PDB file of all heavy atoms in Angstrom:
ATOM      1  N   MET A  33     -11.230  -0.316  -4.796  1.00 98.00           N
ATOM      2  CA  MET A  33     -10.871   1.166  -5.050  1.00 98.00           C
ATOM      3  C   MET A  33     -11.756   1.703  -6.227  1.00 98.00           C
ATOM      4  O   MET A  33     -12.158   2.868  -5.977  1.00 98.00           O
ATOM      5  CB  MET A  33      -9.413   1.216  -5.344  1.00 98.00           C
ATOM      6  CG  MET A  33      -8.468   1.168  -4.228  1.00 98.00           C
ATOM      7  SD  MET A  33      -8.687   2.343  -2.926  1.00 98.00           S
ATOM      8  CE  MET A  33      -8.674   4.027  -3.708  1.00 98.00           C
ATOM      9  N   ASP A  34     -12.043   1.045  -7.194  1.00 98.00           N
ATOM     10  CA  ASP A  34     -12.794   1.371  -8.244  1.00 98.00           C
ATOM     11  C   ASP A  34     -14.206   1.576  -7.897  1.00 98.00           C
ATOM     12  O   ASP A  34     -14.908   2.691  -8.154  1.00 98.00           O
ATOM     13  CB  ASP A  34     -12.899   0.353  -9.448  1.00 98.00           C
ATOM     14  CG  ASP A  34     -13.354   0.979 -10.736  1.00 98.00           C
ATOM     15  OD1 ASP A  34     -13.005   2.087 -11.128  1.00 98.00           O
ATOM     16  OD2 ASP A  34     -14.177   0.359 -11.343  1.00 98.00           O
ATOM     17  N   ARG A  35     -14.840   0.764  -6.972  1.00 98.00           N
ATOM     18  CA  ARG A  35     -16.111   1.007  -6.410  1.00 98.00           C
ATOM     19  C   ARG A  35     -16.115   2.239  -5.691  1.00 98.00           C
ATOM     20  O   ARG A  35     -17.209   2.920  -5.639  1.00 98.00           O
ATOM     21  CB  ARG A  35     -16.669  -0.258  -5.710  1.00 98.00           C
ATOM     22  CG  ARG A  35     -16.930  -1.371  -6.647  1.00 98.00           C
ATOM     23  CD  ARG A  35     -17.439  -2.687  -5.949  1.00 98.00           C
ATOM     24  NE  ARG A  35     -16.412  -3.373  -5.245  1.00 98.00           N
ATOM     25  CZ  ARG A  35     -15.683  -4.301  -5.782  1.00 98.00           C
ATOM     26  NH1 ARG A  35     -15.739  -4.437  -7.143  1.00 98.00           N
ATOM     27  NH2 ARG A  35     -14.846  -4.949  -5.070  1.00 98.00           N
ATOM     28  N   TRP A  36     -15.113   2.446  -4.798  1.00 98.00           N
ATOM     29  CA  TRP A  36     -15.174   3.711  -4.009  1.00 98.00           C
ATOM     30  C   TRP A  36     -15.049   4.952  -4.827  1.00 98.00           C
ATOM     31  O   TRP A  36     -15.732   5.853  -4.596  1.00 98.00           O
ATOM     32  CB  TRP A  36     -13.974   3.686  -2.986  1.00 98.00           C
ATOM     33  CG  TRP A  36     -14.024   4.742  -2.031  1.00 98.00           C
ATOM     34  CD1 TRP A  36     -14.684   4.913  -0.902  1.00 98.00           C
ATOM     35  CD2 TRP A  36     -13.333   6.019  -2.192  1.00 98.00           C
ATOM     36  NE1 TRP A  36     -14.534   6.130  -0.321  1.00 98.00           N
ATOM     37  CE2 TRP A  36     -13.639   6.869  -1.124  1.00 98.00           C
ATOM     38  CE3 TRP A  36     -12.440   6.585  -3.062  1.00 98.00           C
ATOM     39  CZ2 TRP A  36     -13.066   8.136  -1.033  1.00 98.00           C
ATOM     40  CZ3 TRP A  36     -11.966   7.729  -3.095  1.00 98.00           C
ATOM     41  CH2 TRP A  36     -12.330   8.669  -1.963  1.00 98.00           C
ATOM     42  N   ALA A  37     -14.087   4.821  -5.789  1.00 98.00           N
ATOM     43  CA  ALA A  37     -13.968   5.956  -6.670  1.00 98.00           C
ATOM     44  C   ALA A  37     -15.101   6.328  -7.522  1.00 98.00           C
ATOM     45  O   ALA A  37     -15.419   7.549  -7.824  1.00 98.00           O
ATOM     46  CB  ALA A  37     -12.723   5.753  -7.549  1.00 98.00           C
ATOM     47  N   THR A  38     -15.897   5.371  -7.923  1.00 98.00           N
ATOM     48  CA  THR A  38     -17.142   5.537  -8.580  1.00 98.00           C
ATOM     49  C   THR A  38     -18.172   6.455  -7.696  1.00 98.00           C
ATOM     50  O   THR A  38     -18.859   7.299  -8.312  1.00 98.00           O
ATOM     51  CB  THR A  38     -17.870   4.150  -8.955  1.00 98.00           C
ATOM     52  OG1 THR A  38     -17.014   3.448  -9.822  1.00 98.00           O
ATOM     53  CG2 THR A  38     -19.249   4.454  -9.666  1.00 98.00           C
ATOM     54  N   CYS A  39     -18.111   6.232  -6.452  1.00 98.00           N
ATOM     55  CA  CYS A  39     -19.067   7.070  -5.651  1.00 98.00           C
ATOM     56  C   CYS A  39     -18.368   8.384  -5.237  1.00 98.00           C
ATOM     57  O   CYS A  39     -18.987   9.236  -4.494  1.00 98.00           O
ATOM     58  CB  CYS A  39     -19.308   6.251  -4.268  1.00 98.00           C
ATOM     59  SG  CYS A  39     -20.230   4.787  -4.641  1.00 98.00           S
ATOM     60  N   HIS A  40     -17.123   8.627  -5.613  1.00 98.00           N
ATOM     61  CA  HIS A  40     -16.337   9.817  -5.178  1.00 98.00           C
ATOM     62  C   HIS A  40     -15.539  10.388  -6.463  1.00 98.00           C
ATOM     63  O   HIS A  40     -14.392  10.508  -6.433  1.00 98.00           O
ATOM     64  CB  HIS A  40     -15.313   9.513  -3.971  1.00 98.00           C
ATOM     65  CG  HIS A  40     -16.063   9.057  -2.738  1.00 98.00           C
ATOM     66  ND1 HIS A  40     -16.428   7.849  -2.553  1.00 98.00           N
ATOM     67  CD2 HIS A  40     -16.518   9.800  -1.888  1.00 98.00           C
ATOM     68  CE1 HIS A  40     -16.995   7.705  -1.416  1.00 98.00           C
ATOM     69  NE2 HIS A  40     -17.057   8.942  -0.904  1.00 98.00           N
ATOM     70  N   PRO A  41     -16.336  10.859  -7.380  1.00 97.00           N
ATOM     71  CA  PRO A  41     -15.812  11.286  -8.649  1.00 97.00           C
ATOM     72  C   PRO A  41     -14.913  12.621  -8.562  1.00 97.00           C
ATOM     73  O   PRO A  41     -14.118  12.888  -9.269  1.00 97.00           O
ATOM     74  CB  PRO A  41     -16.877  11.479  -9.657  1.00 97.00           C
ATOM     75  CG  PRO A  41     -18.185  11.701  -8.806  1.00 97.00           C
ATOM     76  CD  PRO A  41     -17.770  10.908  -7.530  1.00 97.00           C
ATOM     77  N   GLU A  42     -15.180  13.269  -7.285  1.00 97.00           N
ATOM     78  CA  GLU A  42     -14.352  14.461  -7.053  1.00 97.00           C
ATOM     79  C   GLU A  42     -12.912  14.204  -6.618  1.00 97.00           C
ATOM     80  O   GLU A  42     -12.101  15.056  -6.529  1.00 97.00           O
ATOM     81  CB  GLU A  42     -15.048  15.282  -6.026  1.00 97.00           C
ATOM     82  CG  GLU A  42     -14.835  14.774  -4.469  1.00 97.00           C
ATOM     83  CD  GLU A  42     -15.811  13.570  -4.201  1.00 97.00           C
ATOM     84  OE1 GLU A  42     -16.586  12.964  -4.997  1.00 97.00           O
ATOM     85  OE2 GLU A  42     -15.726  13.068  -3.015  1.00 97.00           O
ATOM     86  N   VAL A  43     -12.730  12.819  -6.340  1.00 98.00           N
ATOM     87  CA  VAL A  43     -11.289  12.465  -5.912  1.00 98.00           C
ATOM     88  C   VAL A  43     -10.582  11.729  -7.081  1.00 98.00           C
ATOM     89  O   VAL A  43     -11.108  10.678  -7.659  1.00 98.00           O
ATOM     90  CB  VAL A  43     -11.277  11.550  -4.721  1.00 98.00           C
ATOM     91  CG1 VAL A  43      -9.952  11.165  -4.308  1.00 98.00           C
ATOM     92  CG2 VAL A  43     -12.110  12.081  -3.544  1.00 98.00           C
ATOM     93  N   LYS A  44      -9.363  12.185  -7.418  1.00 98.00           N
ATOM     94  CA  LYS A  44      -8.546  11.709  -8.435  1.00 98.00           C
ATOM     95  C   LYS A  44      -7.870  10.416  -7.860  1.00 98.00           C
ATOM     96  O   LYS A  44      -7.205  10.565  -6.791  1.00 98.00           O
ATOM     97  CB  LYS A  44      -7.590  12.578  -8.976  1.00 98.00           C
ATOM     98  CG  LYS A  44      -6.637  12.004 -10.087  1.00 98.00           C
ATOM     99  CD  LYS A  44      -5.745  13.075 -10.655  1.00 98.00           C
ATOM    100  CE  LYS A  44      -4.891  12.439 -11.749  1.00 98.00           C
ATOM    101  NZ  LYS A  44      -3.883  13.445 -12.402  1.00 98.00           N
ATOM    102  N   VAL A  45      -8.134   9.292  -8.460  1.00 98.00           N
ATOM    103  CA  VAL A  45      -7.332   8.044  -7.982  1.00 98.00           C
ATOM    104  C   VAL A  45      -6.497   7.515  -9.218  1.00 98.00           C
ATOM    105  O   VAL A  45      -7.129   7.305 -10.309  1.00 98.00           O
ATOM    106  CB  VAL A  45      -8.435   7.025  -7.488  1.00 98.00           C
ATOM    107  CG1 VAL A  45      -7.622   5.783  -7.031  1.00 98.00           C
ATOM    108  CG2 VAL A  45      -9.234   7.601  -6.392  1.00 98.00           C
ATOM    109  N   VAL A  46      -5.233   7.439  -9.008  1.00 98.00           N
ATOM    110  CA  VAL A  46      -4.482   6.762  -9.937  1.00 98.00           C
ATOM    111  C   VAL A  46      -3.901   5.360  -9.512  1.00 98.00           C
ATOM    112  O   VAL A  46      -3.487   5.251  -8.232  1.00 98.00           O
ATOM    113  CB  VAL A  46      -3.158   7.627 -10.151  1.00 98.00           C
ATOM    114  CG1 VAL A  46      -2.231   7.046 -11.244  1.00 98.00           C
ATOM    115  CG2 VAL A  46      -3.618   9.063 -10.782  1.00 98.00           C
ATOM    116  N   ALA A  47      -3.939   4.453 -10.304  1.00 97.00           N
ATOM    117  CA  ALA A  47      -3.762   3.013  -9.862  1.00 97.00           C
ATOM    118  C   ALA A  47      -2.781   2.304 -10.823  1.00 97.00           C
ATOM    119  O   ALA A  47      -2.863   2.309 -11.977  1.00 97.00           O
ATOM    120  CB  ALA A  47      -4.925   2.259  -9.789  1.00 97.00           C
ATOM    121  N   GLN A  48      -1.663   1.647 -10.109  1.00 96.00           N
ATOM    122  CA  GLN A  48      -0.880   0.614 -10.799  1.00 96.00           C
ATOM    123  C   GLN A  48      -1.538  -0.578 -10.548  1.00 96.00           C
ATOM    124  O   GLN A  48      -1.569  -1.059  -9.326  1.00 96.00           O
ATOM    125  CB  GLN A  48       0.468   0.865 -10.346  1.00 96.00           C
ATOM    126  CG  GLN A  48       1.524  -0.207 -10.878  1.00 96.00           C
ATOM    127  CD  GLN A  48       1.620  -1.455  -9.999  1.00 96.00           C
ATOM    128  OE1 GLN A  48       1.673  -1.295  -8.746  1.00 96.00           O
ATOM    129  NE2 GLN A  48       1.604  -2.531 -10.654  1.00 96.00           N
ATOM    130  N   THR A  49      -2.136  -1.388 -11.489  1.00 95.00           N
ATOM    131  CA  THR A  49      -2.909  -2.427 -11.262  1.00 95.00           C
ATOM    132  C   THR A  49      -2.274  -3.840 -11.356  1.00 95.00           C
ATOM    133  O   THR A  49      -2.961  -4.838 -11.012  1.00 95.00           O
ATOM    134  CB  THR A  49      -4.098  -2.458 -12.291  1.00 95.00           C
ATOM    135  OG1 THR A  49      -3.655  -2.663 -13.525  1.00 95.00           O
ATOM    136  CG2 THR A  49      -4.949  -1.239 -12.039  1.00 95.00           C
ATOM    137  N   GLY A  50      -1.127  -3.895 -12.001  1.00 92.00           N
ATOM    138  CA  GLY A  50      -0.433  -5.254 -12.077  1.00 92.00           C
ATOM    139  C   GLY A  50      -0.928  -5.999 -13.273  1.00 92.00           C
ATOM    140  O   GLY A  50      -0.575  -7.182 -13.306  1.00 92.00           O
ATOM    141  N   GLY A  51      -1.825  -5.485 -14.065  1.00 89.00           N
ATOM    142  CA  GLY A  51      -2.243  -6.194 -15.323  1.00 89.00           C
ATOM    143  C   GLY A  51      -3.396  -7.280 -14.927  1.00 89.00           C
ATOM    144  O   GLY A  51      -3.405  -8.256 -15.606  1.00 89.00           O
ATOM    145  N   GLY A  52      -4.059  -7.138 -13.927  1.00 90.00           N
ATOM    146  CA  GLY A  52      -5.098  -8.038 -13.526  1.00 90.00           C
ATOM    147  C   GLY A  52      -6.285  -8.003 -14.349  1.00 90.00           C
ATOM    148  O   GLY A  52      -6.466  -7.378 -15.396  1.00 90.00           O
ATOM    149  N   ALA A  53      -7.280  -8.960 -14.145  1.00 93.00           N
ATOM    150  CA  ALA A  53      -8.510  -9.075 -14.993  1.00 93.00           C
ATOM    151  C   ALA A  53      -9.447  -7.895 -14.628  1.00 93.00           C
ATOM    152  O   ALA A  53     -10.304  -7.631 -15.595  1.00 93.00           O
ATOM    153  CB  ALA A  53      -9.210 -10.300 -14.599  1.00 93.00           C
ATOM    154  N   CYS A  54      -9.271  -7.355 -13.475  1.00 93.00           N
ATOM    155  CA  CYS A  54     -10.260  -6.185 -13.191  1.00 93.00           C
ATOM    156  C   CYS A  54      -9.873  -5.003 -14.061  1.00 93.00           C
ATOM    157  O   CYS A  54      -8.683  -4.514 -14.033  1.00 93.00           O
ATOM    158  CB  CYS A  54     -10.234  -5.803 -11.754  1.00 93.00           C
ATOM    159  SG  CYS A  54     -11.190  -4.479 -11.259  1.00 93.00           S
ATOM    160  N   ARG A  55     -10.905  -4.482 -14.683  1.00 94.00           N
ATOM    161  CA  ARG A  55     -10.621  -3.280 -15.611  1.00 94.00           C
ATOM    162  C   ARG A  55     -11.371  -2.146 -15.004  1.00 94.00           C
ATOM    163  O   ARG A  55     -12.644  -1.881 -15.356  1.00 94.00           O
ATOM    164  CB  ARG A  55     -11.000  -3.553 -17.050  1.00 94.00           C
ATOM    165  CG  ARG A  55     -10.132  -4.592 -17.677  1.00 94.00           C
ATOM    166  CD  ARG A  55      -8.736  -3.946 -17.880  1.00 94.00           C
ATOM    167  NE  ARG A  55      -7.706  -4.896 -18.301  1.00 94.00           N
ATOM    168  CZ  ARG A  55      -6.587  -4.731 -17.957  1.00 94.00           C
ATOM    169  NH1 ARG A  55      -6.084  -3.716 -17.150  1.00 94.00           N
ATOM    170  NH2 ARG A  55      -5.579  -5.631 -18.137  1.00 94.00           N
ATOM    171  N   PRO A  56     -10.798  -1.324 -14.136  1.00 96.00           N
ATOM    172  CA  PRO A  56     -11.557  -0.259 -13.452  1.00 96.00           C
ATOM    173  C   PRO A  56     -12.111   0.828 -14.321  1.00 96.00           C
ATOM    174  O   PRO A  56     -11.433   1.142 -15.450  1.00 96.00           O
ATOM    175  CB  PRO A  56     -10.528   0.339 -12.534  1.00 96.00           C
ATOM    176  CG  PRO A  56      -9.141  -0.078 -12.987  1.00 96.00           C
ATOM    177  CD  PRO A  56      -9.397  -1.306 -13.819  1.00 96.00           C
ATOM    178  N   ALA A  57     -13.221   1.426 -13.955  1.00 96.00           N
ATOM    179  CA  ALA A  57     -13.866   2.452 -14.829  1.00 96.00           C
ATOM    180  C   ALA A  57     -13.574   3.787 -14.180  1.00 96.00           C
ATOM    181  O   ALA A  57     -13.540   4.790 -14.927  1.00 96.00           O
ATOM    182  CB  ALA A  57     -15.355   2.175 -14.892  1.00 96.00           C
ATOM    183  N   ALA A  58     -13.420   3.943 -12.865  1.00 97.00           N
ATOM    184  CA  ALA A  58     -13.318   5.296 -12.215  1.00 97.00           C
ATOM    185  C   ALA A  58     -11.913   5.545 -11.868  1.00 97.00           C
ATOM    186  O   ALA A  58     -11.742   6.619 -11.372  1.00 97.00           O
ATOM    187  CB  ALA A  58     -14.186   5.182 -11.101  1.00 97.00           C
ATOM    188  N   LEU A  59     -10.968   4.696 -12.116  1.00 96.00           N
ATOM    189  CA  LEU A  59      -9.547   4.985 -11.760  1.00 96.00           C
ATOM    190  C   LEU A  59      -8.729   5.219 -13.067  1.00 96.00           C
ATOM    191  O   LEU A  59      -9.073   4.803 -14.216  1.00 96.00           O
ATOM    192  CB  LEU A  59      -8.921   3.732 -11.144  1.00 96.00           C
ATOM    193  CG  LEU A  59      -9.710   3.044  -9.966  1.00 96.00           C
ATOM    194  CD1 LEU A  59      -8.872   1.902  -9.547  1.00 96.00           C
ATOM    195  CD2 LEU A  59      -9.754   3.997  -8.829  1.00 96.00           C
ATOM    196  N   GLU A  60      -7.775   6.070 -12.946  1.00 97.00           N
ATOM    197  CA  GLU A  60      -6.780   6.276 -13.949  1.00 97.00           C
ATOM    198  C   GLU A  60      -5.767   5.203 -13.826  1.00 97.00           C
ATOM    199  O   GLU A  60      -4.848   5.246 -12.877  1.00 97.00           O
ATOM    200  CB  GLU A  60      -6.069   7.667 -13.816  1.00 97.00           C
ATOM    201  CG  GLU A  60      -5.161   8.015 -14.953  1.00 97.00           C
ATOM    202  CD  GLU A  60      -4.472   9.317 -14.779  1.00 97.00           C
ATOM    203  OE1 GLU A  60      -5.098  10.237 -14.213  1.00 97.00           O
ATOM    204  OE2 GLU A  60      -3.453   9.534 -15.435  1.00 97.00           O
ATOM    205  N   ALA A  61      -5.913   4.103 -14.565  1.00 96.00           N
ATOM    206  CA  ALA A  61      -5.302   2.900 -14.373  1.00 96.00           C
ATOM    207  C   ALA A  61      -4.215   2.478 -15.288  1.00 96.00           C
ATOM    208  O   ALA A  61      -4.344   2.861 -16.482  1.00 96.00           O
ATOM    209  CB  ALA A  61      -6.287   1.782 -14.310  1.00 96.00           C
TER     210      ALA A  61
END
Side-chain angles (χ1 to χ4, degrees):
M33 285 301 306
D34 194 47
R35 287 183 285 281
W36 183 85
T38 298
C39 297
H40 297 86
E42 74 284 2
V43 180
K44 180 178 181 179
V45 182
V46 178
Q48 177 267 318
T49 65
C54 179
R55 292 292 164 212
L59 310 178
E60 185 179 335

